Every structure is written in structure tokens, then in C-alpha cells.
Amino acid sequence: MSIQQSLLDKNDRLAERNRGFFRAKKLLVLNVLSSPGSGKTTFIQKTAEALKGKLRLAVIVGDLATDNDAARLRQAGIPVVQITTGTVCHLEADMVARAAGQIDLDQVDVLVIENVGNLVCPAAYDLGEDLRVVLLSVTEGEDKPLKYPPMFHSAQVAVVTKGDLSAATGFDRAQALANLNRISHHARVFELSARTGQGMDAWLAFLIEQHAARAH
Amino acid sequence: MSIQQSLLDKNDRLAERNRGFFRAKKLLVLNVLSSPGSGKTTFIQKTAEALKGKLRLAVIVGDLATDNDAARLRQAGIPVVQITTGTVCHLEADMVARAAGQIDLDQVDVLVIENVGNLVCPAAYDLGEDLRVVLLSVTEGEDKPLKYPPMFHSAQVAVVTKGDLSAATGFDRAQALANLNRISHHARVFELSARTGQGMDAWLAFLIEQHAARAH
């Protein structure tokens, strides 16, 4: 067995431990993944704000450096724990377990893990999430699912973000959806703009439904 | 010595061999790096087209999957070799050496290596390039240099791309330049739009000057 494989096996066991712990706490846990700059933080912030009074979100944020994203979320009144990875290109299950230990999970309904901005490495690391949510911003181009298949194939949810910039970027929606369908054929797809709010309702309803299915 | 360190040391030696080989061939070699969807391929294509009759470009393209980018460049009449990395998140020096062996380098002035779209892992792998060129598209946000310091710190050139979308995205140019200056204070900065051509002249003049400095 290669060393890389052995590290992945260890991560997978710790991820299952996380999964069991989160299940006992009746949490819905999302692993949110994308390129740098696809709009993960804004998307998470708008989601938390829109669900206020319905579902309580907490966020674990992974970044190589800076706590900019954590600070943005904290300013919006969202409980957040920062993981600084240094040069590590992804989050691992044990980092998430330690960060989750700093949150009062009995006061939380949905735990959102904002992964390091990277469409490659985080695909290989299970964190114990219920759903992998991969973002594709319209500014990145329609071909990304084809070029980063492990990431898009592993996602249960795909969210096309920054929809308000579709016209300015010449985004080919039909082509993007065809590419998503080819790689992530099993994934639920949402198209939205966190900035304008367009398309957010369907996403919020989905989260409420997913949480309800786990909460009883 | 850790295994990771030993692999990096091996890569560094092979990168120096590439560097010597490329120098003997009087090539200017660029390692072009960015997030997925920052516009690397369009930027390289427009650069090659604008330099036609002045400098001859060839391109080595790295991608996890698909040869879409290589096909786009080939259609534009640019010599191109594709490296398909599978699940590997970066190019390594030996991959580049093998790919370069498929190009008639005596007919080439500038060898452009389009790395895998990833702001983390490729930073650790020297390929034997003369210049690291990191792209930051205005759609990604001003904070990326602060959030991915190893990549931006290691670059000799930073190119702010997709300038035609600045207004639509609300890009804060002054903040972006301040962040670049903080992390990549030694880097030459260009601001341009490959789509409209705005700002390309300064970049092209820089390449001609850099090539001339190596060609005699």
C-alpha cells in the first residue's frame, strides 16, 4: 500500500467518526468546494442570513492564510471557526473534528464547511459531510466539470453561482448544464446569484428539506 | 528527511536540468499559473497570435482531463503538447521534460507552460522556467494574493486578467494592487483584458525584451 493510500485510508476512518458524531447531533453537514474566488463565502453568508429564524448555521472555514472569510462571516453574526492550513491544499477529517469541538453543536442545525479554494485536492478527502456542494461560477467557463472530473463527480449538489454576470461573461448555460450532467449526472443542480438573491429560494427550500429528513 | 521533501528535492534537480537545456536552446520559458477559469488559455492564445512574425511560441498544457485547451490552441495554429495528469494537482519537471521532447525547440523562441488550474500545489514545483507568471482575474476578488501567499510570492510576474469585467464585478483595483504589492512586491504587474486587447501591448513588449536578453 502506498503512503498516500494509507493517509487517505486513515482520513476515511476519521471522516466516518465525524459522520457518526454529526448524525448523533442531528446536524446537516455540507462540504462546500470550488475554485478560489467562485463566491463560497458570499454564498454561505447569504444562506445563513436567509435562514435566520428557520435554521441555525455554523461555519468552519479553511484557508491557507488570513482569516478574511471567517471575519466576514463573523461580522454577519454567524458562528465561525477558522482553520489555517499553511501550505496544505485541502481540509482533512481530523482538522474538521478539532474545529467542530470549538462550536456548541447543540445550538446548530446546519454545519457548513468552507473548504480551501481548490478544484483538485479536496476531492480526495472525505470530511464526514452529508452533502458535497461544488460551486461553479459563470465567470470560470462552462468546461470546468470536464476538466476537474473527480471533484464534480463526487458532488451531490452543484451550484452555478454569480448568475448576475452571465450576460457580461457570455456564459453558455446550456453547455454548462450539459457538462454538469455528463460528469455529475446524479447531482442536484441549482442556478443562482447570491448577490441579487435570484434562485436562492430553491436552494434554501432544499436545505430545509434535507435538514428535516435528518432531524427526527 | 520526509518523503514529501525528498520528492521535492528530486523535482528541483530535474527542474535545473530543464533550465540548463532550455538555456542552451536560447528559449524564454514561462510557467503560467492561476485558479481554474482565470483565462490562462485565452491569454496564451492572444499572446501567441499578437507575437506572430516576431516570436514563435510553443505551449505545453497541463490538465487533469480533456485536451480542450490544447485543441483550442492547436486550432489557432500554435504548436502544443498536452500533459494529462489524471488526479495529480500540478505539473512536475519530468513531465515537462518529456513533453518538451515532442517539440522541435529549434523552431521556438518562447515556451509557455500552462500549468494545472490550481493556486496551491503548483507553487511548490519548479519546472525549470525563467519566469513564473501568475494570473489573477478580476472576477476572483482582490484578496487572492493574501489567501494564496506561496503562489503569489513565488511569481516574478503577476497579470490581472479579464479587465473588461472590472465594472460588472465591482473590482477594487487599488485594493488588489495593494494586496499584490504586499505579497508579490518584487513582481512586475500587468493589467489587461485578453478579450478586448486592452493592456496587451505592455505585456508583449515585456516578453520581447525578456527574450532578447536571453537570445544573444
Side-chain angles (χ1 to χ4, degrees):
Chain A
M1 187 189 294
S2 74
I3 286 161
Q4 178 65 12
Q5 192 54 47
S6 149
L7 289 173
L8 282 173
D9 284 353
K10 184 181 172 211
N11 182 76
D12 281 353
R13 289 197 304 276
L14 293 175
E16 290 301 344
R17 189 191 297 176
N18 285 353
R19 189 165 280 114
F21 190 84
F22 295 151
R23 192 155 295 171
K25 293 285 186 184
K26 298 182 189 299
L27 288 170
L28 171 64
V29 182
L30 310 180
N31 183 1
V32 178
L33 303 140
S34 80
S35 298
S38 295
K40 288 185 291 302
T41 308
T42 301
F43 172 65
I44 293 167
Q45 181 185 333
K46 298 291 183 180
T47 298
E49 289 172 351
L51 288 174
K52 216 160 261 180
K54 292 173 192 145
L55 291 176
R56 299 161 298 177
L57 267 69
V59 184
I60 294 172
V61 174
D63 264 314
L64 268 65
T66 86
D67 64 345
N68 290 359
D69 292 350
R72 275 169 65 190
L73 293 167
R74 202 172 286 121
Q75 275 176 354
I78 302 159
V80 54
V81 176
Q82 163 87 29
I83 300 173
T84 304
T85 66
T87 57
V88 177
C89 54
H90 58 271
L91 291 180
E92 298 180 11
D94 65 332
M95 302 176 189
V96 169
R98 279 197 300 273
Q102 299 173 49
I103 301 171
D104 181 0
L105 294 175
D106 294 325
Q107 306 301 319
V108 173
D109 300 305
V110 182
L111 179 62
V112 181
I113 305 164
E114 180 179 342
N115 218 311
V116 176
N118 185 334
L119 275 185
V120 188
C121 318
Y125 292 85
D126 183 10
L127 303 179
E129 68 272 12
D130 294 301
L131 298 173
R132 279 195 181 193
V133 180
V134 63
L135 271 55
L136 168 67
S137 77
V138 303
T139 62
E140 289 168 68
E142 305 79 12
D143 59 345
K144 293 302 160 292
L146 305 183
K147 292 178 70 178
Y148 300 88
M151 178 61 79
F152 282 91
H153 185 73
S154 74
Q156 285 86 30
V157 180
V159 181
V160 181
T161 59
K162 303 195 186 185
D164 53 303
L165 296 172
S166 288
T169 55
F171 183 67
D172 184 339
R173 175 176 176 265
Q175 186 63 56
L177 294 179
N179 290 342
L180 274 175
N181 190 49
R182 191 163 143 201
I183 306 294
S184 326
H185 42 84
H186 51 281
R188 188 69 187 265
V189 177
F190 296 93
E191 300 171 79
L192 53 83
S193 163
R195 189 155 75 166
T196 67
Q198 195 179 359
M200 286 290 286
D201 283 351
W203 159 248
L204 299 169
F206 171 77
L207 280 188
I208 290 169
E209 169 200 306
Q210 289 287 317
H211 175 262
R214 282 163 181 83
H216 55 72
Chain B
M1 188 190 294
S2 74
I3 286 163
Q4 176 66 10
Q5 192 54 48
S6 150
L7 289 174
L8 282 172
D9 284 353
K10 185 181 171 211
N11 182 76
D12 281 352
R13 289 197 305 277
L14 294 175
E16 290 301 345
R17 188 192 296 177
N18 285 354
R19 189 166 280 113
F21 190 83
F22 295 151
R23 191 155 294 170
K25 294 284 186 184
K26 297 183 188 300
L27 289 169
L28 171 63
V29 183
L30 311 179
N31 184 1
V32 178
L33 302 140
S34 80
S35 298
S38 295
K40 288 187 291 302
T41 308
T42 301
F43 172 65
I44 292 167
Q45 181 185 335
K46 298 291 183 180
T47 298
E49 289 173 349
L51 288 174
K52 216 160 260 182
K54 293 175 190 142
L55 291 176
R56 299 163 298 177
L57 267 69
V59 185
I60 295 171
V61 174
D63 264 315
L64 270 62
T66 86
D67 64 347
N68 290 0
D69 292 351
R72 275 169 65 190
L73 294 167
R74 202 172 286 122
Q75 275 176 353
I78 303 159
V80 55
V81 176
Q82 163 87 29
I83 301 172
T84 303
T85 67
T87 56
V88 176
C89 54
H90 58 271
L91 291 180
E92 298 182 11
D94 65 332
M95 302 176 189
V96 168
R98 280 196 301 272
Q102 300 174 48
I103 301 172
D104 180 1
L105 293 175
D106 294 324
Q107 305 301 320
V108 173
D109 300 306
V110 181
L111 179 62
V112 182
I113 305 164
E114 181 180 341
N115 218 312
V116 175
N118 185 332
L119 275 185
V120 190
C121 319
Y125 292 85
D126 184 7
L127 303 179
E129 69 271 12
D130 294 301
L131 298 173
R132 278 194 182 195
V133 181
V134 64
L135 271 55
L136 168 66
S137 77
V138 303
T139 60
E140 289 166 69
E142 306 78 13
D143 59 344
K144 293 302 160 291
L146 305 182
K147 291 178 70 176
Y148 300 89
M151 177 62 79
F152 281 91
H153 185 73
S154 75
Q156 286 85 32
V157 180
V159 182
V160 181
T161 59
K162 304 195 185 183
D164 54 302
L165 296 173
S166 289
T169 54
F171 183 66
D172 184 338
R173 175 176 176 265
Q175 188 61 56
L177 293 179
N179 290 343
L180 274 175
N181 190 50
R182 191 164 143 202
I183 306 293
S184 326
H185 42 84
H186 52 281
R188 189 70 186 267
V189 177
F190 297 93
E191 299 171 82
L192 53 82
S193 163
R195 188 155 77 166
T196 68
Q198 197 181 359
M200 285 291 286
D201 283 351
W203 159 248
L204 299 170
F206 171 77
L207 279 189
I208 290 169
E209 170 200 306
Q210 289 288 316
H211 175 261
R214 283 165 180 82
H216 56 69

